[in-house]
Amino acid sequence: MEEQKEHIKELRKKAMRLPLHPGVYIMRDKTGKIIYIGKAKALKNRVSQYFGSEKNHDDKVRRMVSNVEDFEYILTDSEFEALVLECSLIKQHTPKYNILLKDDKGYHYIKVTKGPWPRISQAKQMLNDGAEYLGPYVSSWATKESVDEALKIFRLPSCSRKFPQDIGKGRPCLNYFIKQCSAPCRGRLSEKEYNEAVKDALEFLRGGSAACVKELTRKMEDAAENLEFERAAHIRDRLAAIKRMSDRQKVVALKVPEQDIIALAQGAEKNCFEVFRFMNGRLCDRETYLMGEIGEAGAARSEFIERYYSMRDRIPPRVTLDGPATDTALLSEWLSRKAGRKVTVSIPQKGEQAHLVEMCRSNAAEQLAQSMGRTGREASALDELGRLLGLAHPPAYIEAYDISNLAGGDNVAGMVVFENGRPLKSAYRKFQIKTVDGQDDYGSMREVIGRRLREYQENQDSGEGFGRLPDLILLDGGKGHVAAVQPILDSFQLNIPLFGMVKDDKHRTRAIAANGGEIAIQPNRKAFTLVGAIQEEVHRFAIGYHRQTRKKNTLSTSLTSIEGIGQSRARALLKHFRTITAIREADLEELENAPGMTKPSALAVYRHFHALNETGSPGNEEQNNQPIEPGE
C-alpha cells in the first residue's frame, strides 16, 4: 500500500511538470498496455487531478489510477485537434477504461418463405434456402417493427405452426381473439385468401403505407362496384388497421425533421444509453447500449457521443441530450466538421422535445431494468430521484428512519430498507431509544443514526446488514432533522447523502428536505411516488413497533403489580407463556417450572389470578390473548 502511494506521488510530480497546453494523454499499465486515453485543454491541470486526493474520484477513476504505471502525452495546437486525435487513438487501441461501443450495425432482411402458405419474418442474413429476401436494411429495430406491423395489419400468423399440416389441430391463440391474426389454423381461411393477404403485406413492406393505402382503396372500391360487399368490408378493416398504426407514429411527429435523441439511465452496477433516431418526423431506428461503470454522467455523455459518431456516417443536424455533457461546444464543432454542416447539441427543458427526451430515458430505464431483473418503473423512479437530489448514481440501497412515541413515552424508532426500488424486509430494524428521555425527536434520531454507524464500523468487513452503507438516508422529518443528524455523519467521516421527507397537513409526502432548504418533488411523478411509498412504509413500521412496545409494557405492568414479580420476571413470564391468559390458566406446577420463577413467586402469581377469577373480573380477554414478541 505504501509503495502504491509513493508511486502515485511520483506520477503527480511528473504531471505537475506538464505544460498548460492542449493535448492528449495516454495511461499505460505495468505491461505497457494502454488502459486509458483522454484529451485536455490544459494537460497539467487535467492529468494532475488523477493523482490527487482519491475523494474527488469515482470508483471507475480510482481503479484506473491504481493500475497506471506511467503516462505519456501528445501536444496539439488546439483542444479541437486534441479531440480528433483522441477519437482516432481510442478507435485504434480500444483502451479498457474508455467507453467502447461495438459497431454491430450489420444488415437485416425480411424473409418470405416459398410454398402454398408463405410466412413473413425478420432475418439477420440471407440463406440459400429458396426463400425470397427483401432488403438489406440497416436497422434491426426498424425491420422488426415493419414486419410486426405488416403481420398485425393483414392479420397474418406469427406463431410456429406450419400450414397446411397444423390446420384444424388445436385452438387458435390469443392473437386471433384480439383481431391480430386470421387464424388459418382454424381451417376457415382458404389458401387463396391467405396468399392475397401475404401479397398485400409485401406491397405494404415494399411501398410503404401511403402506396399500400392507395392500392387497397382501389381494391375496396372495385369490390363494392362488383357487389362483393364482404370482401370490400375485409379490405376496409385493413385500411383501418393501417390508419391505427399511422396514428401511433403521430406521438413522435416533430417540428425538427431529423435528429438523434440520446438518454442515459444509471444503475448501481450497470448503465444504459438509449439512442432514438428520427427522420422525416418519424422514429426510424433505436439502439441500446448496456455497459458497466461509466463514471460521472456529464463526462460519460460526452465520451459516448464521441464513440458513437466515430462509428456512424450519418450525423443529424440536431443531437438532443437528456442532461449536460462536458465540452458541449467542442462536441458541436466536432460533429459539424464531421457532418460538413452545422450540428446543434441541445438539452430541452420543456415542450415536445422534452417529452421525447423523457420517452427515450424511460426506454433506457426499461432496458436497464430488464437486464437487472427489475421493472422499468422502479429503474425510472430511482434514476429520477438520483437526478433530483444531485447524486452521482441512482440510490440502489436506501435506508429510511422514523421516530415514534406517545407524549415522550415508549420511545422507539424504525428503519426500513428499499433495494432497487423495492422493500427489503429482511434488512428492517427496530430501535429502543436508550439515551433520550421525553419527546425529543432530534435527539432520538441522532442516537439511532449514531448506533447504526457504530454497527457499520464493527461489521463493515461482512458487507451485509449493518456492514453495508446505504446510497441514501431518508429521515421522516424536515430540514431540522437533517441539520440535527448531519453532524453525526460528519463525525464518522462518511459521505452519505442525507435528506428528510416532509409531509403536508394531511400527512402526505410534500417535499424533500435538504440541509438548508426543500426540494419540491410533486412534478417528478415517479420519484414522488417512490418517496411517498418509503415514507408510508417507515411510518407504518415505526408506529407498529411503538404500539407493540406500549402493549408489552402495559401487560408487563399488570404483572409487576404482583408481589415478588419485577420487570425481569414479568418479561420472562411473557416470553415463556406468550399471553396473559396463558399465565392465568397455568397451574401452580407450570408456573414454578417457568424460567426465573421460584415457588413463592409462582404461588403469588397463581393466587393473584385465581383471586381475580373469584371476583369475576378476568380482565380484557382480547388483550390477554395477544401474543408477545420477545424484547430486543
Side-chain angles (χ1 to χ4, degrees), residues 384-391 472 474 478-479 482 498-502 509-524 527-528 531:
E384 189 173 85
L385 181 61
R387 287 185 283 107
L388 182 69
L389 301 182
L391 308 182
L472 171 66
L474 295 175
K479 58 186 179 182
V482 176
L498 175 70
F499 294 90
M501 298 178 289
V502 186
T509 306
R510 176 175 61 81
I512 290 284
N515 200 345
E518 290 185 1
I519 303 170
I521 58 173
Q522 281 92 337
N524 301 273
F528 175 76
V531 173

Side-chain angles (χ1 to χ4, degrees), residues 551-578:
K551 185 180 294 181
K552 185 193 304 183
N553 289 341
T554 300
L555 295 175
S556 178
T557 301
S558 71
L559 291 174
T560 56
S561 64
I562 303 172
E563 184 179 354
I565 303 299
Q567 287 288 344
S568 297
R569 277 182 177 160
R571 282 196 294 268
L573 277 171
L574 287 171
K575 184 176 181 180
H576 180 71
F577 288 101
R578 305 289 291 174

Side-chain angles (χ1 to χ4, degrees), residues 303-375:
E303 195 173 350
F304 178 83
I305 290 171
E306 293 175 30
R307 303 292 86 74
Y308 182 78
Y309 289 107
S310 292
M311 306 186 313
R312 298 287 177 266
D313 294 326
R314 171 187 163 263
I315 299 176
R318 173 177 291 185
V319 176
T320 305
L321 306 178
D322 69 323
T326 57
D327 305 322
T328 303
L330 187 64
L331 286 173
S332 181
E333 181 185 357
W334 176 69
L335 291 170
S336 297
R337 294 201 188 186
K338 192 169 174 28
R341 52 173 159 69
K342 182 173 178 57
V343 176
T344 303
V345 179
S346 65
I347 307 170
Q349 301 300 318
K350 59 182 180 179
E352 183 182 51
Q353 289 287 312
H355 172 73
L356 290 170
V357 165
E358 182 57 35
M359 184 173 70
C360 187
R361 184 190 289 125
S362 295
N363 276 268
E366 179 65 31
Q367 295 295 324
L368 180 63
Q370 288 185 8
S371 72
M372 301 174 70
R374 293 153 52 190
T375 68

Side-chain angles (χ1 to χ4, degrees), residues 377 381 384 418 509 521-522 524-536:
R377 182 176 293 274
E384 189 173 85
F418 274 60
T509 306
I521 58 173
Q522 281 92 337
N524 301 273
R525 189 68 226 174
K526 294 171 185 173
F528 175 76
T529 302
L530 174 61
V531 173
I534 293 173
Q535 189 168 30
E536 285 296 318

Side-chain angles (χ1 to χ4, degrees), residues 400-558:
Y401 296 83
D402 189 17
I403 304 297
S404 185
N405 57 59
L406 182 63
D410 298 321
N411 208 356
V412 299
M415 179 195 94
V416 303
V417 174
F418 274 60
E419 185 175 36
N420 294 326
R422 299 177 185 176
L424 182 64
K425 295 195 175 184
S426 62
Y428 286 17
R429 294 293 183 269
K430 301 171 182 176
F431 296 84
Q432 287 186 344
I433 305 303
K434 300 177 179 178
T435 63
V436 177
D437 294 324
Q439 192 162 358
D440 181 1
D441 284 3
Y442 292 170
S444 298
M445 196 69 84
R446 282 194 294 266
E447 178 193 321
V448 169
I449 298 299
R451 285 165 60 184
R452 188 265 179 265
L453 296 180
R454 281 191 291 276
E455 288 284 345
Y456 166 71
Q457 289 182 329
E458 295 173 7
N459 299 282
Q460 57 184 305
D461 292 339
S462 71
E464 298 178 356
F466 279 151
R468 176 181 181 181
L469 284 180
D471 300 316
L472 171 66
I473 292 178
L474 295 175
L475 310 177
D476 191 342
K479 58 186 179 182
H481 285 78
V482 176
V485 171
Q486 187 62 55
I488 303 296
L489 291 177
D490 295 340
S491 68
F492 282 87
Q493 297 183 331
L494 294 172
N495 186 24
I496 305 172
L498 175 70
F499 294 90
M501 298 178 289
V502 186
K503 299 171 183 168
D504 59 17
D505 55 1
K506 294 182 180 179
H507 210 73
R508 295 177 302 192
T509 306
R510 176 175 61 81
I512 290 284
N515 200 345
E518 290 185 1
I519 303 170
I521 58 173
Q522 281 92 337
N524 301 273
R525 189 68 226 174
K526 294 171 185 173
F528 175 76
T529 302
L530 174 61
V531 173
I534 293 173
Q535 189 168 30
E536 285 296 318
E537 178 68 358
V538 72
H539 179 70
R540 178 201 66 78
F541 186 65
I543 201 169
Y545 181 43
H546 169 69
R547 287 169 179 166
Q548 182 189 81
T549 302
R550 192 170 75 239
K551 185 180 294 181
K552 185 193 304 183
N553 289 341
T554 300
L555 295 175
S556 178
T557 301
S558 71

